[in-house]
Structure formats: C-alpha cells, structure tokens
Amino acid sequence: MALGMDSLKERVRSQMPEKRWAHTLGVMESSVELAGRFGGDPVKAELAALLHDYCKYWPVDKQKDALLRHNAAGDLLGHDKALWHGPAAAAVIPGELGITDPEVLDAVRWHTSGREGMTLLDKIVCLADYIEPGRDFPGVHRIRKLAEHSLENALVAGFDSTISFLLEKGSAIYPLTVLSRNALLEELKSNQANREDTL
Ligand code: DGI
Ligand code: FE
Ligand code: FE
C-alpha cells in the first residue's frame, strides 16, 4: 500500500531531529523551484528531496547494516561515513516506505557525491541540498546566483566548496565526487561548443 504524502512526511520526520527536518523542507522547496526553472519533474523532485536524508541520523552501524543487507555497500565502507546515508536511504526506502521509482531512488542515492552522467533530477536534488534557504556557508550566495541560470555551473561551485572544505580539514576526497565535478565540466564544455556551432 502506497503511503500518502502526509504520512510519508511524518515517517521521514520521525527519523531526524527538528533541525534536519527544517533542512529537508528547505530542500523540498528549492528542488521544486529548480525543477520549475530547468524543466524537471516537480513531483519527483519534491519526493526525492523529502527522502534524501532519511538515514542521515541513523547510527552508522545501522547505515552500514542497511548497505550490506541490500548489497549496496560498493566501495563505500572504505570511505568517509558521511557518504553512507544517501546510498543507505536508497537501499531501505522501497521496503520501508514503498517508494520504488528508480529515478527518485537514484537522486537520493547520489545526492552527496553526485555521479558521472547525473540526470536532471540528480542535479536538482544535489544542488537544492547546497542552496536551500536554511544553508549558510562561505560561498552559498554565489552558488545561489549561479543557480539562477545554470544547474551545472552552480553544481560545480557546490562541489568546489565541498572539496575546498575537505582540503582545509585535511580529509580524504571521495573519488566519485571528483569524477562528478569533472563530468559536469565536460558537459559545460560540450554545451558551449554546440552553442558556438549554431552561431
Ligand atoms: O546530508 P547533508 O549534510 O545535507 O549534505 P550531504 O549529503 O552533501 O553531506 C555533506 C557531508 O558529506 C559533509 O560532512 C561533507 C561530506 N562529504 C561530501 N563529499 C565528500 C564528503 N566527505 C568526504 N570525505 N569526501 C567527499 O568527497
Ligand atoms: Fe545528505
Ligand atoms: Fe541534505
């Protein structure tokens, strides 16, 4: 039985502290706005945003169990725990919440690292996570500005801020984060070349 949006919201809300719920509502709002601006599906965008941090406050052992039980660990257990909650959520949500739309689950799965060849929905949720109204970090204003015109330029700036933050802390960078950024740069370059061709 599919849950309605209201009970779905209550189920998600019950998994996190109030502050993270406020962030989730912000990501929903920004995802719908970005979907409108860039031609995405606002219903899927809002749903993926609602679900994206479902496992963020689960104890890491529970996140790890979820990944292992669903054969979804990939290379993640050798990398920062901060990267586990999206893939863990995508793994458990079909069984726990009855959401099975693969596009929505992909956007949840890849919202932290991105991936090569991000879909429009992946980009919307990943970017909304950076720019939702409650976010305040150095550079967020510039990312919001870029997001008025280009998903890809704004996302590159988002990944730049994450990578700079990790470098500053002396942390390891997950290779997929770098591959995602590179793929977006390639996409921007080929879009630019196409535009020049048609001029
Ligand atoms: O869950 P949120 O806080 O809303 O945002 P998120 O899913 O983007 O997670 C952000 C956290 O993930 C932050 O603590 C930095 C960390 N992170 C993101 N990309 C990488 C990363 N950590 C490592 N080690 N490597 C990465 O590439
Ligand atoms: Fe997250
Ligand atoms: Fe988030």
Side-chain angles (χ1 to χ4, degrees), residues 101-141:
D101 183 330
E103 290 177 24
V104 169
L105 295 175
D106 277 342
V108 170
R109 182 176 297 111
W110 305 114
H111 82 266
T112 304
S113 63
R115 58 168 162 168
E116 290 182 283
M118 291 175 83
T119 65
L120 178 57
L121 195 65
D122 293 349
K123 290 174 185 172
I124 286 170
V125 176
C126 189
L127 178 57
D129 200 12
Y130 281 109
I131 65 171
E132 61 94 357
R135 285 286 202 209
D136 183 19
F137 59 87
V140 70
H141 179 73

Side-chain angles (χ1 to χ4, degrees), residues 1 5 7-8 12 14 32 34 47 50 54 61 74 84 88 91 109 113 122 128 131 134 137 149 155 175 179:
M1 230 278 297
M5 196 60 175
S7 25
L8 211 45
V12 174
S14 73
V32 171
L34 290 171
L47 182 57
L50 169 62
Y54 183 70
D61 283 343
W84 298 357
R109 182 176 297 111
S113 63
D122 293 349
I131 65 171
F137 59 87
H149 302 287
L155 256 186
L179 295 175

Side-chain angles (χ1 to χ4, degrees), residues 42 61 64 71 74-75 90 103 114-115 134 151 168 170 179 188 197:
D61 283 343
K64 184 176 173 178
N71 280 320
D75 65 354
E103 290 177 24
R115 58 168 162 168
L151 271 178
E168 201 63 46
L179 295 175
L188 283 163
D197 276 356

